[in-house]
Amino acid sequence: MRFTLSSTALSSRLQTLSRVISSKNALQILDCFLFDVHNQQLTITASDSENVMQSVIKLDECDGEGSFAVSNRTILDAMKELAEQPLQFNVDTENFTIKIVYQNGLYNFTAQNAEDFPHLQAIPDGATVITIDSGMLSDNINRSLFATAQDELRPVMNGIYFDLTADALAIVASDGHKLVRNKNFTIKSDTPASFILPKKPAQLLKNVLGKDGGDVVIKFDDRSAEIRFADGTLNCRLIEGRYPNYNSVIPQNNPNQVTIDRRSLLGALRRVLPFASESSQLIRFHLEMGKLELSSEDIDFATSAKESITCDYTGQPMNIGFKGSSLTEILTNLESDEVVLQLADPSRAGIILPAVQPENEDVLMLIMPMLLND
């Protein structure tokens, strides 16, 4: 079997797929990429047994069809130093030898039997299907990943929750201290359905989804999901279990409202945070008409900091405490120039919204307050 393709196209796909492969695999064959040449195209598969990712490349020339597996380290090292050029693969699938001919040289190495590579389990018919714009899904995953937990006792909190209802598709992440809820009003269903996407496949999708439009089709049942995007497919096992009622923790009546420049607040937070106690990272907010004062202190090291920012505030004068690092993450993961901070009282969660919502979406972030010792 002989085929030709671009070195850059192959290298970029291998780099993306290599993120699927675990450093320690139960099956030795999972250290390999599976190459399958069929219908003038090459399908490359990488797996860690729970996540299987495939990418398709159209071949410039092709003579013959077949499958073989190749060590990920060998092929990645071979591609790393090559400039853009055509590569000719000559593969003997009976003796498992590979010869790659490039401009001024060649590589010879061995392949492995494709039969040893685990087969992909298809999602049964009758599964729920969601179609979503790739740019929108990419934005939602980017916005949510930081809020997922690392909780061994409650594994359901360690992923991103997709909740399809008659009103919208909500994409949610929370670690119990902060929460992100993205609502997409263009996607809805009279038959409610939901799934929890683990962190690793979410991270893989974040790296492959384009911002240039195109649809992503997610097909899922109780145990696994198949996600089809422009250049390939991702099959993954889902987190099983019931996600907590995220809507119940979002306070509804918040009479105190701050509208403030996001970058100004973020800058002030970053300047004040190094002077806070390292263990608590407590930042005190003092709000009054037209002004927000941020302050921090570390009694053990006799350090403190204070900074004032102008803002648009409607409500009673208030002191409330937040964890500085969590608030910094929230503001970093919002895109709008201005943000709105809605507060009820110092003991209830603060809601942070972009001043201008994305089209057909509703983005909400929540942060739990910290106790102030007044």
Side-chain angles (χ1 to χ4, degrees):
M1 173 173 61
R2 184 183 291 119
F3 58 90
T4 308
L5 77 167
S6 148
S7 62
T8 317
L10 178 60
S11 185
S12 68
R13 299 295 172 85
L14 291 176
Q15 289 292 344
T16 302
L17 291 167
S18 67
R19 295 187 175 103
V20 182
I21 299 171
S22 291
S23 54
K24 293 176 183 172
N25 284 306
L27 296 172
Q28 197 179 353
I29 192 72
L30 294 179
D31 289 332
C32 296
F33 293 113
L34 177 67
F35 280 54
D36 182 40
V37 178
H38 191 67
N39 284 346
Q40 298 286 312
Q41 59 185 26
L42 167 65
T43 303
I44 309 171
T45 306
S47 170
D48 65 0
S49 78
E50 291 199 347
N51 304 288
V52 182
M53 198 169 184
Q54 292 186 319
S55 198
V56 179
I57 306 174
K58 281 198 163 51
L59 296 172
D60 300 336
E61 294 172 23
C62 180
D63 178 14
E65 294 188 342
S67 302
F68 58 94
V70 56
S71 159
N72 81 84
R73 287 180 197 85
T74 306
I75 190 85
L76 284 169
D77 288 344
M79 295 298 109
K80 204 178 285 179
E81 299 301 329
L82 289 179
E84 163 55 30
Q85 59 188 283
L87 301 178
Q88 188 184 76
F89 277 70
N90 297 285
V91 185
D92 183 337
T93 48
E94 285 185 13
N95 297 313
F96 297 111
T97 59
I98 301 171
K99 182 166 84 170
I100 301 176
V101 180
Y102 59 95
Q103 257 166 19
N104 299 314
L106 59 87
Y107 297 129
N108 279 304
F109 51 95
T110 55
Q112 294 189 42
N113 194 335
E115 294 296 315
D116 299 333
F117 206 88
H119 291 291
L120 194 59
Q121 296 292 316
I123 302 244
D125 292 336
T128 308
V129 178
I130 295 172
T131 303
I132 183 168
D133 174 81
S134 70
M136 185 186 276
L137 180 58
S138 174
D139 287 344
N140 283 200
I141 289 174
N142 278 332
R143 221 180 273 133
S144 308
L145 260 173
F146 81 96
T148 54
Q150 287 180 309
D151 192 333
E152 290 179 13
L153 299 175
R154 292 184 301 169
V156 292
M157 306 293 280
N158 298 347
I160 296 177
Y161 182 53
F162 286 66
D163 187 19
L164 182 63
T165 64
D167 300 327
L169 169 67
I171 298 176
V172 182
S174 177
D175 62 2
H177 302 289
K178 52 188 181 285
L179 176 142
V180 177
R181 186 194 69 188
N182 308 277
K183 275 189 171 180
N184 305 294
F185 297 111
T186 54
I187 302 162
K188 50 186 88 169
S189 169
D190 293 333
T191 311
S194 63
F195 68 91
I196 306 170
L197 183 69
K199 214 174 292 192
K200 182 171 177 177
Q203 196 78 48
L204 292 167
L205 282 172
K206 176 185 166 180
N207 293 322
V208 297
L209 291 178
K211 301 275 189 182
D212 49 358
D215 283 341
V216 176
V217 180
I218 305 171
K219 186 178 176 185
F220 65 95
D221 61 13
D222 294 342
R223 300 196 59 194
S224 50
E226 177 191 277
I227 302 162
R228 292 191 168 274
F229 45 93
D231 295 327
T233 333
L234 172 64
N235 285 64
C236 61
R237 196 172 294 168
L238 300 172
I239 298 174
E240 293 181 45
R242 190 175 178 148
Y243 203 81
N245 181 356
Y246 57 90
N247 286 313
S248 67
V249 300
I250 301 171
Q252 296 307 311
N253 299 315
N254 306 292
N256 305 298
Q257 188 161 303
V258 189
T259 304
I260 193 163
D261 182 79
R262 181 180 67 88
R263 287 184 185 87
S264 298
L265 178 55
L266 192 53
L269 261 175
R270 285 175 173 155
R271 287 187 288 274
V272 170
L273 184 56
F275 297 89
S277 159
E278 205 171 306
S279 56
S280 71
Q281 299 186 351
L282 169 65
I283 303 289
R284 176 192 288 264
F285 276 44
H286 172 70
L287 284 154
E288 56 185 67
M289 193 70 73
K291 188 176 87 168
L292 163 62
E293 187 179 271
L294 284 78
S295 60
S296 63
E297 68 173 339
D298 187 343
I299 295 164
D300 295 340
F301 293 95
T303 61
S304 66
K306 189 181 281 188
E307 186 168 330
S308 296
I309 319 172
T310 55
C311 66
D312 183 6
Y313 179 57
T314 52
Q316 298 296 318
M318 186 194 294
N319 289 316
I320 188 168
F322 294 117
K323 186 173 183 175
S325 57
S326 296
L327 193 53
T328 302
E329 284 182 309
I330 285 174
L331 293 170
T332 305
N333 284 283
L334 285 166
E335 291 103 36
S336 64
D337 291 336
E338 289 192 318
V339 290
V340 178
L341 177 58
Q342 296 179 348
L343 303 166
D345 61 61
S347 65
R348 291 169 70 191
I351 291 173
I352 301 167
L353 311 166
V356 179
Q357 292 282 4
E359 192 179 353
N360 296 318
E361 289 188 77
D362 178 68
V363 177
L364 176 148
M365 299 201 184
L366 175 147
I367 181 168
M368 298 305 288
M370 293 179 75
L371 199 64
L372 293 175
N373 296 322
D374 284 329

